[in-house]
Amino acid sequence: MLAKIEQLLQEIDGLTAHSAEELEALRIKYLSKKGAINDLMADFRNVPADQKKAVGMKLNELKNKAQERIATLKEAFENQDNGTAELDLTRTAYPIELGTRHPLSIVRNEIIQIFSRLGFTIADGPEVEDDWHVFSSMNFPEDHPARDMQDTFFIESHPDILLRTHTSSVQSRVMEVSQPPIRVICPGRVYRNEAISYRAHCFFHQVEGLYVDKNVSFTDLKQVLLQFAQEMFGPETKIRLRPSYFPFTEPSAEMDISCDICGGEGCPFCKYTGWVEILGCGMVDPAVLEANGIDSKVYTGYAFGMGVERITNLKYKVKDLRMFSENDTRFLKEFEAAN
Ligand code: PHE
């Protein structure tokens, strides 16, 4: 009898339960009327009188232990809601919020991918620039309004140092250290001293492109831009080039795409013109090639530049530019699917 009690004591020490049903089964096995302990109690009267005291004490110990063990297992269940008797210490205290890629990054990456497939490589340059790379090497006349304090953030006490107003400065940096063929895109942040509103911000993002080689023509430019527009906005997209002016290109143009909301019919979004403007472009002015050490009698080139915010607005119909820099997660989460 004592040996049987010892064996049960050991068994009870090692008891575990993984569900309420398992626990109930254990209770029935040990503590119910027909359970192992009651069986022993029933046998107790057969124990010789001289052993009754020792066996009785052991039997009580067994009963208490079994009750305690089952109560402990039950408590563990009640403190947990996942039905396991063991605590999972690796569980986090609160749900982790997963971030999403910023819409401007999504669109910038898409622009980069399209031009990469067309053979362009990525070039990078500093956001704090000197006057030469932003303006002088780009053929800006001394009195050009873009140099004016109204548009440009200059570094106080260093009038020659400024925050770049366009990524054309990177084109200049590429040309001064390399010879054609050059085929690069320059994605980056630019700064302009503008009052912040739904349609303007003091910083935004551009992707500019530059291709310089022998016999580069306006036709090449147009073809690459058509390809870009159709990959970005769909194969039905049409483009139109309007004459324009930039100091660094001649001839210059602005490119519109057919409005993808009304399909060119005319709607409030395109101000009933059927077209929306997306970028500036042109043939690199020979003066720019020369200023950057490239022989303009041998080489020609084209350049284009677009605002990433503008493309994102058109693609995702974001009406207020400020949304891009407010970090409102409700807005950012809307782009989860485009990640
Ligand atoms: N640098 C021009 C801008 O910031 C864009 C542009 C680039 C236009 C290249 C023509 C050619 O507006």
Side-chain angles (χ1 to χ4, degrees):
M1 177 110 178
L2 270 178
K4 177 85 185 148
I5 295 175
E6 281 301 339
Q7 185 208 325
L8 284 176
L9 273 171
Q10 266 185 20
E11 244 180 75
I12 281 163
D13 257 347
L15 287 186
T16 53
H18 299 285
S19 64
E21 291 77 40
E22 271 182 47
L23 185 63
E24 178 60 8
L26 291 178
R27 193 193 64 76
I28 292 171
K29 182 171 174 196
Y30 295 102
L31 292 172
S32 70
K33 275 206 174 114
K34 291 186 177 152
I37 295 174
N38 248 10
D39 283 354
L40 288 174
M41 295 280 191
D43 268 357
F44 185 65
R45 64 183 126 85
N46 303 328
V47 172
D50 60 339
Q51 289 179 24
K52 270 205 158 58
K53 192 172 174 203
V55 174
M57 276 167 72
K58 262 287 178 232
L59 207 48
N60 267 341
E61 187 190 333
L62 174 65
K63 194 176 174 182
N64 289 339
K65 197 151 187 178
Q67 278 169 346
E68 254 167 48
R69 182 75 196 152
I70 285 182
T72 316
L73 290 178
K74 194 168 173 210
E75 216 168 277
F77 271 131
E78 279 161 6
N79 291 339
Q80 281 210 344
D81 53 9
N82 65 355
T84 51
E86 283 146 33
L87 285 173
D88 179 0
L89 297 177
T90 61
R91 278 179 65 183
T92 49
Y94 46 84
I96 299 174
E97 288 262 348
L98 274 186
T100 52
R101 221 178 281 283
H102 193 280
L104 294 178
S105 302
I106 296 173
V107 171
R108 183 202 53 207
N109 291 349
E110 206 173 331
I111 298 171
I112 290 174
Q113 273 167 17
I114 294 172
F115 284 107
S116 301
R117 288 199 289 274
L118 293 168
F120 288 77
T121 53
I122 298 172
D124 205 0
E127 292 179 16
V128 181
E129 260 292 6
D130 50 33
D131 178 279
W132 168 258
H133 290 100
V134 177
F135 296 131
S136 298
S137 71
M138 284 287 132
N139 200 34
F140 277 79
E142 272 310 316
D143 54 357
H144 193 281
R147 290 186 157 196
D148 199 287
M149 299 291 281
Q150 301 300 310
D151 285 309
T152 310
F153 288 113
F154 291 91
I155 307 298
E156 237 173 10
S157 74
H158 288 89
D160 196 40
I161 307 293
L162 44 100
L163 298 181
R164 66 182 180 194
T165 55
H166 55 182
T167 48
S168 301
S169 53
V170 184
Q171 300 186 21
S172 168
R173 285 188 175 273
V174 170
M175 285 189 275
E176 72 186 4
V177 296
S178 39
Q179 282 297 308
I182 293 171
R183 186 152 41 179
V184 290
I185 45 167
C186 321
R189 182 176 282 183
V190 300
Y191 301 82
R192 287 184 198 177
N193 191 358
E194 303 222 17
I196 296 171
S197 73
Y198 75 96
R199 42 179 289 208
H201 212 295
C202 58
F203 68 81
F204 58 99
H205 300 80
Q206 285 190 326
V207 179
E208 294 210 0
L210 172 72
Y211 180 30
V212 186
D213 203 350
K214 286 178 182 152
N215 303 318
V216 175
S217 71
F218 204 95
T219 320
D220 300 327
L221 171 63
K222 197 174 166 189
Q223 190 55 43
V224 156
L225 293 180
L226 175 64
Q227 180 75 24
F228 165 73
Q230 294 190 334
E231 286 207 32
M232 195 67 175
F233 294 100
E236 305 301 318
T237 310
K238 295 187 196 63
I239 64 167
R240 126 179 136 169
L241 293 162
R242 283 178 288 105
S244 184
Y245 170 79
F246 298 104
F248 34 89
T249 46
E250 181 59 36
S252 305
E254 266 164 329
M255 185 174 103
D256 300 337
I257 56 165
S258 48
C259 176
D260 72 333
I261 291 189
C262 60
E265 299 278 296
C267 68
F269 190 76
C270 59
K271 302 198 184 79
Y272 299 98
T273 62
W275 297 94
V276 284
E277 187 205 316
I278 66 160
L279 55 80
C281 60
M283 299 306 290
V284 182
D285 194 302
V288 171
L289 294 176
E290 293 294 336
N292 289 287
I294 290 172
D295 189 345
S296 65
K297 287 185 209 68
V298 182
Y299 298 108
T300 50
Y302 65 67
F304 55 84
M306 65 189 86
V308 180
E309 278 80 351
R310 174 92 187 135
I311 307 281
T312 312
N313 285 353
L314 291 176
K315 208 166 154 125
Y316 294 107
K317 317 293 179 281
V318 179
K319 295 229 174 64
D320 190 335
L321 261 184
R322 292 169 293 196
M323 300 292 284
F324 291 127
S325 45
E326 274 170 3
N327 284 336
D328 183 333
T329 52
R330 289 167 302 181
F331 169 70
L332 298 175
K333 284 253 179 219
E334 288 182 32
F335 297 87
E336 223 164 8
N339 263 279

